[in-house]
Amino acid sequence: MALSETDSGNEAYRGIITVCVMLATIMQALDMTIANVALPDMQGSLSSTPDQINWVLTSYIVAAAIMTPVTGFLSTRFGRKRIFLMSVAGFTLASMLCGMAGSMKEMVVFRLLQGVFGAPLVPLSQAVLLDSYPRHQHGKAMALWGIGVMVGPILGPTLGGYLTDNIGWRWVFYINVPVGLVTFLGLSAYLTETKISRTPLDWIGFLSLSLAIGALQMMLDRGEQVDWFESAEIVFETGLAAIGFYLFVVHTLTYKKGKPFIDPHAFSDRNFSIGLAFAFLVGIILLSTIALLTPYLRNLMGYPVLTAGLVMAPRGIGTMAAMVIVGNLINRVDPRGLVLLGMVLLAFSLHEMTGFTPDISQATIVYTGIIQGFGFGFVFVPLSTVTFSTLDTKYRTQGTALFSLVRNIGSSIGISFMVFLLSRNTQIMHAEIVGAITPFNEALHHPTVASIWNTKTVAGLSLIDREISRQATIIAFANDFKFMMWVVIATMPLVLFLRRRNSSGKVAVEAME
């Protein structure tokens, strides 16, 4: 489906459309993290076990992952406006049903529906904004869109904690209803429909990719709970994912009867392919830092849920501020330089986090959070702009869907690997520290130390073990932050391979100076 530089119908009501698609983006992005803090309350209310309540998250993630790649086909086959409105309406209704759920089975079914209808919201929002703004304003458009994508997951735990503590966990879902209604009414009134193509669906490509993504997400989400590859379930899911990806790649490259589910020609655009790699990195770092920092603040520093959320909230403020700045700078400076600056800020913030201890002040947490937020803002906006700056417009909706999918897979892999690394390093550091607790350690015989940690009593040994576990966990967190810092640094050279579209609209192929 070939699209014009801007859609003239969308351009006439650009402001209203922008507000509506931002609301859709924020609504979906918030839901990725807002329900996490409500799980303990939901568990008691729905009479479920800890293992069962995790399906509230797993069902949503798996459904959203499977449905994201099909967004491009649905938009082409039935029209972007029609699919957008169906997604908003379905997501809003599913959110209301989640809030009304009276049993665990109902909750899982309604969360599946939420994931199915919520999956197209972010890629469709990005595609609509790219088509509503002329190319020289794509930086501004991506800054507005990025606010929802990046700030939503950051503010989700804070808002979820506030709603759960003050109103009840059901309002974590009910809050989507008024937002969804406003979004639906605005889009139905002002968004124009795109051309419809009767292209048939490549069912083999769709089913093989769905199998691969669904199995991969299940493996990543369930791995920590069932001890990874010690479990037959994880081995089975890994095998399914590998088979699914193999079948998908072979089928796509050999498909001759029509248009494959994912057109491989889109990947011949260098900016698009490198942009997907960067999106994967952003996904790893964005939600992994939140996933690690939340238990750090709550378990090691003893912060209540709401306090922990408020301390992390300035990270979102930093992201929003950076996106506003970048939106005004991107047409004046090389966007690749902005991406590189953002990477430097991310690496610096993670370096500062390697020095975290439970004794650090809230000011230090806020300071590093703001720096990290600035880093995400400086990376995400120019990256989103450059990724699609040279991509043929007929691949736009498919491209935005893949951009969101890769970012979400990066988040799932990042969180799973970082949690695994945290657990493994905690065990290793615990064993190393225990090795120093011997009768020959003179420090243990100091009168003050011996009065607290008496190695000759059960209570004293218990206190020693508790403190060793605490210190081992602190070191393990630091190692996780350091690992992410090196991932960011190792990815920086990719910036040199991005190409910039010059003022005449042609691609500048020279390397960045």
Side-chain angles (χ1 to χ4, degrees):
M1 178 178 60
L3 300 171
S4 59
E5 182 69 24
T6 60
D7 187 296
S8 58
N10 291 353
E11 186 177 1
Y13 302 101
R14 183 182 295 162
I16 298 176
I17 292 173
T18 299
V19 171
C20 290
V21 299
M22 280 189 64
L23 288 176
T25 301
I26 292 172
M27 182 170 63
Q28 197 274 350
L30 270 175
D31 225 65
M32 296 293 290
T33 57
I34 194 173
N36 295 37
V37 296
L39 289 183
D41 295 75
M42 293 169 61
Q43 180 181 338
S45 179
L46 299 176
S47 302
S48 59
T49 64
D51 186 60
Q52 290 173 335
I53 200 64
N54 280 318
W55 282 101
V56 173
L57 304 179
T58 303
S59 57
Y60 179 88
I61 292 171
V62 172
I66 291 174
M67 291 304 297
T68 298
V70 80
T71 300
F73 168 79
L74 293 175
S75 178
T76 301
R77 182 67 175 77
F78 301 103
R80 184 187 292 166
K81 178 179 179 178
R82 186 175 288 109
I83 296 301
F84 211 153
L85 290 176
M86 289 180 59
S87 298
V88 171
F91 187 84
T92 305
L93 177 61
S95 297
M96 185 173 65
L97 292 174
C98 285
M100 298 169 60
S103 68
M104 191 61 205
K105 291 182 179 179
E106 291 180 0
M107 175 60 75
V108 171
V109 171
F110 298 149
R111 282 287 280 177
L112 277 169
L113 289 175
Q114 221 185 6
V116 168
F117 287 108
L121 293 180
V122 172
L124 287 179
S125 297
Q126 187 179 18
V128 166
L129 284 181
L130 287 171
D131 285 347
S132 298
Y133 287 78
R135 193 177 293 276
H136 69 274
Q137 291 186 343
H138 278 184
K140 176 183 178 181
M142 289 302 93
L144 294 171
W145 176 75
I147 288 175
V149 173
M150 303 296 285
V151 176
I154 294 173
L155 296 184
T158 305
L159 182 59
Y162 175 81
L163 292 173
T164 303
D165 290 344
N166 293 278
I167 306 178
W169 67 263
R170 296 184 185 275
W171 281 92
V172 167
F173 302 105
Y174 286 148
I175 194 174
N176 290 328
V177 176
V179 178
L181 288 175
V182 171
T183 303
F184 183 88
L185 292 175
L187 292 177
S188 62
Y190 299 106
L191 184 64
T192 59
E193 187 58 279
T194 56
K195 294 180 180 180
I196 295 175
S197 173
R198 300 296 178 181
T199 304
L201 177 64
D202 173 16
W203 281 101
I204 296 178
F206 169 63
L207 293 175
S208 58
L209 184 60
S210 297
L211 173 66
I213 293 174
L216 176 63
Q217 290 287 3
M218 286 286 293
M219 180 196 77
L220 294 172
D221 195 64
R222 296 274 298 162
E224 185 66 24
Q225 303 171 40
V226 295
D227 199 21
W228 290 102
F229 292 99
E230 296 298 320
S231 166
E233 175 191 340
I234 299 302
V235 174
F236 178 69
E237 289 163 354
T238 304
L240 282 181
I243 293 171
F245 276 119
Y246 173 77
L247 292 176
F248 171 74
V249 171
V250 172
H251 173 75
T252 299
L253 295 178
T254 58
Y255 191 62
K256 304 295 185 183
K257 297 181 180 180
K259 187 177 180 180
F261 180 62
I262 300 295
D263 194 331
H265 292 96
F267 298 100
S268 62
D269 184 284
R270 192 168 74 187
N271 273 17
F272 179 66
S273 297
I274 296 176
L276 292 182
F278 266 113
F280 183 80
L281 167 73
V282 170
I284 290 176
I285 304 302
L286 174 63
L287 293 187
S288 293
T289 51
I290 298 174
L292 291 176
L293 195 55
T294 300
Y296 193 99
L297 296 177
R298 294 196 61 190
N299 301 334
L300 289 178
M301 301 187 70
Y303 284 10
V305 175
L306 186 56
T307 303
L310 291 173
V311 171
M312 292 191 294
R315 186 183 308 262
I317 297 174
T319 301
M320 286 189 288
M323 287 182 172
V324 171
I325 295 172
V326 173
N328 292 314
L329 284 179
I330 197 165
N331 290 325
R332 304 175 186 176
V333 300
D334 191 332
R336 298 169 296 179
L338 297 175
V339 173
L340 186 59
L341 174 60
M343 301 284 283
V344 171
L345 291 174
L346 286 177
F348 174 76
S349 67
L350 289 167
H351 176 267
E352 292 295 291
M353 293 174 73
T354 62
F356 275 13
T357 70
D359 300 321
I360 58 172
S361 65
Q362 290 186 2
T364 302
I365 300 171
V366 169
Y367 157 73
T368 55
I370 291 175
I371 295 296
Q372 195 166 94
F374 261 88
F376 282 124
F378 274 98
V379 169
F380 198 73
V381 175
L383 174 63
S384 302
T385 305
V386 173
T387 299
F388 297 98
S389 64
T390 58
L391 184 67
D392 193 316
T393 52
K394 67 181 179 181
Y395 300 124
R396 183 161 289 166
T397 305
Q398 174 185 293
T400 55
L402 289 175
F403 192 77
S404 296
L405 174 66
V406 169
R407 190 183 68 251
N408 290 336
I409 291 178
S411 297
S412 297
I413 291 177
I415 292 173
S416 297
F417 183 74
M418 291 305 161
V419 171
F420 163 75
L421 204 61
L422 179 68
S423 175
R424 178 177 177 274
N425 285 339
T426 299
Q427 296 174 6
I428 292 173
M429 295 312 303
H430 187 280
E432 289 188 9
I433 297 174
V434 165
I437 307 301
T438 69
F440 306 103
N441 191 328
E442 296 182 1
L444 294 175
H445 299 299
H446 189 278
T448 303
V449 175
S451 65
I452 302 174
W453 294 336
N454 190 343
T455 57
K456 298 180 181 180
T457 66
V458 174
L461 290 173
S462 177
L463 287 174
I464 291 175
D465 183 67
R466 186 184 307 171
E467 182 59 25
I468 289 174
S469 298
R470 177 173 174 270
Q471 295 297 329
T473 304
I474 294 170
I475 297 171
F477 271 106
N479 288 338
D480 266 22
F481 295 137
K482 183 180 292 185
F483 178 83
M484 286 191 287
M485 178 192 72
W486 284 114
V487 169
V488 173
I489 293 173
T491 312
M492 288 181 183
L494 284 178
V495 174
L496 299 173
F497 295 96
L498 291 170
R499 297 185 295 180
R500 181 188 181 188
R501 180 176 291 272
N502 59 31
S503 58
S504 66
K506 297 180 180 179
V507 175
V509 297
E510 67 273 13
M512 184 178 66
E513 297 178 357

